[in-house]
Amino acid sequence: MTSISIIGSGKMSGAIAEVATRAGAGVQIVKRSAESMSAARPGPDYGVMGDKLTGDLVVLAVPYGAYPGIVERYRDQLREKIVIDISNPIDFSTYDRLKSPADSSTAAELVKLLPAGTAVVKAFNVNLGDTLVSGTNGTTRTTVLFAGDYAEAKVAVAAFVEAAGMRAVDVGPLTRARELEAMGFLQIVLAALGKTRYESGFALLE
C-alpha cells in the first residue's frame, strides 16, 4: 500500500491522516517545528521541516503562500514523489475572491516551482475535513475529485482514496484545477455563511 507524507499539522492534515489510516497506508506528518501545535494521534510518524520525506505521496496541507519555501527545502526529494495540492487560495480578509491568477490555479503555479516532470495532482480541496474523516457526505459516500497530467500519479491517488472507502473521480488534466478551486471556494464560503454545514458540502451522487 502507498505511504504518505503530509506537510502541515492542521485540520486537513489530520483528516487526510485519518483517510490514510483507513486505507492502510503508512503516515508521516511533517510539522513546521517541534513546537507546532497538532492533534496528537497514534499511528503517524511525526517529523519537522527538513526531515526526509518517507511517503510515496506528499500532501501539501499548508497555505499556498508556504509552497515556495517547502519546494526550496525539498526540491530534489519532490522530484521523485507524487505531490498533492489541496489548497483553496481564498482571500480570507474578504471571502470574496481567489488569490490564484485569474487564468491559472495553485496547482499550475506549483508546477512552475517544481523540477520539470514532477507529478502534481489537485485533490481533496473540494472536500471539507469532516467529510474525509467520516467517509460520508450526507447520506452518500464522500467523493474526492482530482485532476492531473500524469496517468500513473492519478491511478495512485485514486487507489489511495478508494482503499479508504471513498469514491475517486478523475475530472481531467491539471487545467481543471481552476474549476476545482472555484468549487472549493464556493463550498467554504457557503459553510462560513451558515448556508451549508461543515459536515456536508457538495456531493456527487452515484
Side-chain angles (χ1 to χ4, degrees), residues 75-92:
R75 174 177 299 276
D76 290 340
Q77 292 186 56
L78 293 175
R79 187 194 308 269
E80 307 300 326
K81 307 290 186 179
I82 297 169
V83 182
I84 301 177
D85 167 30
I86 72 167
S87 64
N88 284 307
I90 298 170
D91 183 346
F92 287 106

Side-chain angles (χ1 to χ4, degrees), residues 86-128:
I86 72 167
S87 64
N88 284 307
I90 298 170
D91 183 346
F92 287 106
S93 67
T94 63
Y95 275 87
D96 195 41
R97 68 182 183 94
L98 289 168
K99 289 184 174 180
S100 49
D103 60 347
S104 186
S105 65
T106 60
E109 297 304 303
L110 176 60
V111 168
K112 296 176 185 178
L113 297 174
L114 290 164
T118 304
V120 173
V121 177
K122 185 77 178 188
F124 298 111
N125 77 294
V126 183
N127 304 104
L128 298 175

